[in-house]
Amino acid sequence: MLNRLVDRLLGLPKAEGPAPVVTKDLRVPMSDGVHLLTDRYAPAGTHSAPVVLIRTPYGRSGMLSKLFGDTFARHGLQTVIQSTRGSFGSEGEFRPFHLEREDGIATAEWLRAQPWCDGRLAMAGASYLGHTQWAVGPYLDPPLEAMCLGITASQFITNFYPGGVLAADDMVSWSSMIGRQEQRFAALPNPFQTRKTRAAMAHLPVSAADVAAIGKPVLFLKDVTEHAEPGDGYWAMSDHSAEVAGLTVPVTMVSGWYDLFVRAQLQDFVTLQEAGRAPRITIGPWSHGEPASLRVMIQDQLGFLRAHLADDRTQLQRSPVRIYLQQASTWLDFEQWPPASTATPSHLRPVGGLGEAFDGEARPTPFTYDPADPTPAVGGPLLSGDNKQQDNKDVEARDDVLVFTGEPLVHDLDVIGDVSATVFVRTELGHADVYVRVCDVDQGGLSRNVTEGILRLRPGQPEADADGVVTAEVPLDPTAYRFRRGHRLRVQVAGGAFPRFARNHGTGEPVAAAVGGKPNRFEVFHDAAHPSRITLPVFTP
């Protein structure tokens, strides 16, 4: 009955036949003699068959084993779940992102040597479980049969440091989670710990926020804060983006418009597409790990795996790109990403307007960013919770946030694709961040965030003109969104969004050690010579 309920909740056909045969704690040897614990889920009567490999740092029991191991096996897919090095009984030290290529390849070779594996391998999973796929897929010979990539990317570096800024909320949240995940009852909701972790994000230096959050250091936070400066090649071993174009493995992807990986994942998709491959992607109105996305992800991965391992091609009859158009309550299918659209600028006008370029001279609009009272983040694509769209009223009322609002729309406006901003700015200090957010303002004045981006400025990067004005080109996250007739577009410009992004201290000190700070005066230009603007991909069916 439980299995039937699981299948019904996941939208899967009822699985027939006896329960899978489960073999726990297989010891798989790595090249350096370390052994990784691995569980095998085999459909009853399996003698030699393909294997779906899932490599995870989050343990091999609970929801993961039920949804991937048991469910996949009940639907005819032999599945192996392995705890990565140093986690949940596997030997060695847990250093996230460090040895996943070596360990993944060693595991694949071991699996292919087993009598119950016919030599064909595929991989599945989401988030870090997607990283472990990218660490293997481009390098394995013979190649994988399929890769199922949920809310992940070929490189995590741009998510560690989006726009060159440490993603403090995500990094502290994840460090706190992995630092206590093997404690008893750690998987249960703990509001006290959640509040403690959020409070720790304000701790200075941020490199010690792990101790403030959970009472002990977490090696990953030390790594990610100490290697946050430009040109540091420390994370090269985790970056597989250069191998994407050469990947020949069939790929399916699932993401969400409020997922922290959506920009990098779509870049992977475009790279594969331009290389002549045939990837497919589904993007819904989800944040990272949102339960609503799980149903679609399991359906997508199970159907794709059955197509490539069990000759059940029914789930392949769909368009390569399937996306949800927010505020239109509809799914759209396309042959490629991005779909054809018109790049449409909307200019930041004097006195807070938004629309056509200002034809004339105008004084710049000033504000001051103070790292002692950093501009707060509201909603958006965060690892720590289902925030997504939130009311921006309080942050827009602050003196350190500039707000530019357009006129009510005469018609619905569909924006599908990549969004960018060009902001002409002069700062008192050479070290500054330019944060841009696009919002949807309804008829009642409620302002809800749609997409955003940030860029760290350093002395000479980018180069200022003779008047000290810098051209900040800020990429925002891609989106698919309908701004309804009668609604207004709004653009926020600020010097940060804390704690999603680590505060800019204005001193140039490395983020791992910085504790002080200086207020920084900004001037945003919007005259004819400095046409600050956002550029929207306007889609017309």
Side-chain angles (χ1 to χ4, degrees), residues 59 86 135 154 221 240 244 322 326 402 437:
S154 62
L221 189 66
H240 307 288
V244 175
R322 176 169 294 168
Q326 301 171 81
L402 301 186
R437 166 174 273 188

Side-chain angles (χ1 to χ4, degrees), residues 67-78:
L67 291 180
F68 286 98
D70 185 75
T71 300
F72 279 15
R74 285 190 295 104
H75 288 267
L77 298 173
Q78 182 175 216

Side-chain angles (χ1 to χ4, degrees), residues 160-404:
F160 294 166
Y161 317 112
V165 185
L166 177 72
D169 192 313
D170 291 343
M171 299 302 97
V172 174
S173 294
W174 198 66
S175 297
S176 300
M177 187 272 288
I178 62 173
R180 59 185 298 273
Q181 67 174 347
E182 296 195 40
Q183 296 177 8
R184 193 176 184 187
F185 306 124
L188 299 178
N190 187 334
F192 172 77
Q193 181 59 56
T194 299
R195 290 193 297 270
K196 191 175 180 183
T197 299
R198 295 214 65 78
M201 294 174 189
H203 184 86
L204 291 175
V206 68
S207 56
D210 46 2
V211 177
I214 64 172
K216 65 177 182 178
V218 178
L219 193 53
F220 172 74
L221 189 66
K222 178 177 183 290
D223 286 344
V224 81
T225 55
E226 289 190 351
H227 298 282
E229 300 309 305
D232 190 316
Y234 180 80
W235 295 109
M237 75 323 218
S238 72
D239 184 355
H240 307 288
S241 58
E243 311 300 327
V244 175
L247 186 76
T248 59
V249 179
V251 166
T252 189
M253 300 178 176
V254 173
S255 191
W257 293 126
Y258 298 94
D259 181 72
L260 63 154
F261 293 112
V262 65
R263 192 191 309 178
Q265 188 160 18
L266 274 169
Q267 182 56 61
D268 290 338
F269 181 87
V270 170
T271 300
L272 288 168
Q273 185 177 255
E274 291 178 346
R277 314 297 183 234
R280 72 178 196 181
I281 192 167
T282 302
I283 310 178
W286 311 305
S287 59
H288 191 81
E290 185 177 345
S293 68
L294 185 60
R295 186 173 190 264
V296 172
M297 189 180 304
I298 295 293
Q299 289 177 355
D300 179 80
Q301 297 195 1
L302 180 58
F304 199 72
L305 290 166
R306 285 192 54 80
H308 290 281
L309 299 179
D311 294 323
D312 179 0
R313 317 292 285 184
T314 56
Q315 296 300 314
L316 296 186
Q317 308 306 311
R318 50 155 286 185
S319 298
V321 178
R322 176 169 294 168
I323 63 170
Y324 186 81
L325 181 60
Q326 301 171 81
Q327 305 304 316
S329 301
T330 188
W331 289 87
L332 301 177
D333 289 337
F334 298 106
E335 292 302 310
Q336 65 179 23
W337 178 267
S341 63
T342 302
T344 306
S346 193
H347 291 80
L348 313 186
R349 294 175 58 83
V351 202
L354 183 69
E356 294 184 359
F358 182 73
D359 185 14
E361 296 184 4
R363 295 180 64 83
T365 305
F367 69 91
T368 298
Y369 173 83
D370 186 354
D373 180 24
T375 313
V378 180
L382 291 171
L383 183 66
S384 57
D386 180 17
N387 293 292
K388 298 198 302 188
Q389 286 186 291
Q390 300 290 324
D391 183 354
N392 280 243
K393 174 182 63 177
D394 291 342
V395 74
E396 289 175 350
R398 289 177 58 104
D399 292 338
D400 56 359
V401 178
L402 301 186
V403 176
F404 302 87

